[in-house]
PDB file of all heavy atoms in Angstrom:
ATOM      1  N   ASN A  97      15.334  -8.881   3.739  1.00 95.00           N
ATOM      2  CA  ASN A  97      15.103  -9.389   2.408  1.00 95.00           C
ATOM      3  C   ASN A  97      15.541 -10.743   2.184  1.00 95.00           C
ATOM      4  O   ASN A  97      16.569 -11.129   2.881  1.00 95.00           O
ATOM      5  CB  ASN A  97      15.768  -8.500   1.301  1.00 95.00           C
ATOM      6  CG  ASN A  97      15.072  -7.289   1.014  1.00 95.00           C
ATOM      7  OD1 ASN A  97      13.809  -7.162   1.130  1.00 95.00           O
ATOM      8  ND2 ASN A  97      15.674  -6.290   0.481  1.00 95.00           N
ATOM      9  N   LYS A 181       7.327 -11.744  -1.415  1.00 95.00           N
ATOM     10  CA  LYS A 181       8.431 -10.603  -1.380  1.00 95.00           C
ATOM     11  C   LYS A 181       9.715 -11.027  -1.903  1.00 95.00           C
ATOM     12  O   LYS A 181      10.446 -10.292  -2.641  1.00 95.00           O
ATOM     13  CB  LYS A 181       8.634 -10.206   0.193  1.00 95.00           C
ATOM     14  CG  LYS A 181       9.679  -9.107   0.318  1.00 95.00           C
ATOM     15  CD  LYS A 181       9.095  -7.763   0.000  1.00 95.00           C
ATOM     16  CE  LYS A 181      10.107  -6.590  -0.052  1.00 95.00           C
ATOM     17  NZ  LYS A 181      11.192  -6.387   0.933  1.00 95.00           N
ATOM     18  N   VAL A 184       9.502 -10.482  -5.623  1.00 96.00           N
ATOM     19  CA  VAL A 184       9.705  -8.927  -5.889  1.00 96.00           C
ATOM     20  C   VAL A 184      11.211  -8.674  -5.949  1.00 96.00           C
ATOM     21  O   VAL A 184      11.755  -8.070  -6.800  1.00 96.00           O
ATOM     22  CB  VAL A 184       8.884  -8.155  -4.900  1.00 96.00           C
ATOM     23  CG1 VAL A 184       9.343  -6.599  -5.063  1.00 96.00           C
ATOM     24  CG2 VAL A 184       7.467  -8.310  -5.131  1.00 96.00           C
ATOM     25  N   ASN A 185      11.841  -9.254  -4.975  1.00 97.00           N
ATOM     26  CA  ASN A 185      13.355  -8.884  -4.814  1.00 97.00           C
ATOM     27  C   ASN A 185      14.028  -9.607  -5.923  1.00 97.00           C
ATOM     28  O   ASN A 185      14.995  -9.030  -6.421  1.00 97.00           O
ATOM     29  CB  ASN A 185      13.919  -9.329  -3.411  1.00 97.00           C
ATOM     30  CG  ASN A 185      13.351  -8.418  -2.369  1.00 97.00           C
ATOM     31  OD1 ASN A 185      13.007  -8.864  -1.235  1.00 97.00           O
ATOM     32  ND2 ASN A 185      13.467  -7.196  -2.560  1.00 97.00           N
ATOM     33  N   ILE A 188      13.579  -7.433  -9.123  1.00 97.00           N
ATOM     34  CA  ILE A 188      14.154  -6.008  -9.085  1.00 97.00           C
ATOM     35  C   ILE A 188      15.670  -5.960  -8.605  1.00 97.00           C
ATOM     36  O   ILE A 188      16.442  -5.197  -9.210  1.00 97.00           O
ATOM     37  CB  ILE A 188      13.400  -5.129  -8.156  1.00 97.00           C
ATOM     38  CG1 ILE A 188      11.774  -5.066  -8.694  1.00 97.00           C
ATOM     39  CG2 ILE A 188      13.891  -3.753  -7.982  1.00 97.00           C
ATOM     40  CD1 ILE A 188      10.816  -4.211  -7.728  1.00 97.00           C
ATOM     41  N   ASN A 189      15.941  -6.500  -7.519  1.00 97.00           N
ATOM     42  CA  ASN A 189      17.205  -6.117  -6.859  1.00 97.00           C
ATOM     43  C   ASN A 189      18.534  -6.520  -7.721  1.00 97.00           C
ATOM     44  O   ASN A 189      19.291  -5.534  -7.875  1.00 97.00           O
ATOM     45  CB  ASN A 189      17.393  -6.898  -5.482  1.00 97.00           C
ATOM     46  CG  ASN A 189      16.376  -6.265  -4.529  1.00 97.00           C
ATOM     47  OD1 ASN A 189      15.356  -5.778  -5.000  1.00 97.00           O
ATOM     48  ND2 ASN A 189      16.677  -6.086  -3.208  1.00 97.00           N
ATOM     49  N   ASN A 199      14.503   1.476  -9.966  1.00 95.00           N
ATOM     50  CA  ASN A 199      13.695   0.322 -10.113  1.00 95.00           C
ATOM     51  C   ASN A 199      12.680   0.553 -11.368  1.00 95.00           C
ATOM     52  O   ASN A 199      12.447  -0.539 -11.948  1.00 95.00           O
ATOM     53  CB  ASN A 199      12.787   0.102  -8.861  1.00 95.00           C
ATOM     54  CG  ASN A 199      13.652  -0.194  -7.639  1.00 95.00           C
ATOM     55  OD1 ASN A 199      14.863  -0.406  -7.751  1.00 95.00           O
ATOM     56  ND2 ASN A 199      12.955  -0.092  -6.500  1.00 95.00           N
ATOM     57  N   VAL A 241       5.470  -3.048  -7.871  1.00 92.00           N
ATOM     58  CA  VAL A 241       6.456  -2.516  -6.993  1.00 92.00           C
ATOM     59  C   VAL A 241       7.564  -1.572  -7.770  1.00 92.00           C
ATOM     60  O   VAL A 241       7.955  -0.605  -7.374  1.00 92.00           O
ATOM     61  CB  VAL A 241       7.186  -3.523  -6.252  1.00 92.00           C
ATOM     62  CG1 VAL A 241       8.309  -2.991  -5.392  1.00 92.00           C
ATOM     63  CG2 VAL A 241       6.162  -4.304  -5.249  1.00 92.00           C
ATOM     64  N   SER A 250      17.244   0.274  -5.627  1.00 92.00           N
ATOM     65  CA  SER A 250      16.946  -0.846  -4.770  1.00 92.00           C
ATOM     66  C   SER A 250      18.113  -0.946  -3.612  1.00 92.00           C
ATOM     67  O   SER A 250      19.163  -0.438  -3.872  1.00 92.00           O
ATOM     68  CB  SER A 250      16.889  -2.119  -5.500  1.00 92.00           C
ATOM     69  OG  SER A 250      18.200  -2.560  -5.824  1.00 92.00           O
ATOM     70  N   SER A 251      17.954  -1.778  -2.487  1.00 92.00           N
ATOM     71  CA  SER A 251      18.845  -1.865  -1.539  1.00 92.00           C
ATOM     72  C   SER A 251      20.136  -2.440  -2.156  1.00 92.00           C
ATOM     73  O   SER A 251      21.208  -2.227  -1.775  1.00 92.00           O
ATOM     74  CB  SER A 251      18.484  -2.803  -0.356  1.00 92.00           C
ATOM     75  OG  SER A 251      17.851  -3.929  -0.793  1.00 92.00           O
TER      76      SER A 251
HETATM   77  O1  KPL B 301      12.794  -4.424  -1.108  1.00 73.59           O
HETATM   78  C1  KPL B 301      13.279  -3.588  -1.911  1.00 73.59           C
HETATM   79  C2  KPL B 301      14.720  -3.389  -1.856  1.00 73.59           C
HETATM   80  O2  KPL B 301      15.141  -2.332  -2.395  1.00 73.59           O
HETATM   81  O3  KPL B 301      15.386  -4.138  -1.289  1.00 73.59           O
HETATM   82  C3  KPL B 301      12.493  -3.206  -2.985  1.00 73.59           C
HETATM   83  C4  KPL B 301      11.004  -3.731  -2.800  1.00 73.59           C
HETATM   84  C5  KPL B 301      12.952  -3.862  -4.320  1.00 73.59           C
HETATM   85  C6  KPL B 301      12.285  -1.719  -3.110  1.00 73.59           C
HETATM   86  O4  KPL B 301      13.402  -1.160  -3.681  1.00 73.59           O
END
Side-chain angles (χ1 to χ4, degrees):
N97 276 338
K181 179 77 190 319
V184 169
N185 288 134
I188 298 179
N189 292 28
N199 297 349
V241 175
S250 75
S251 54

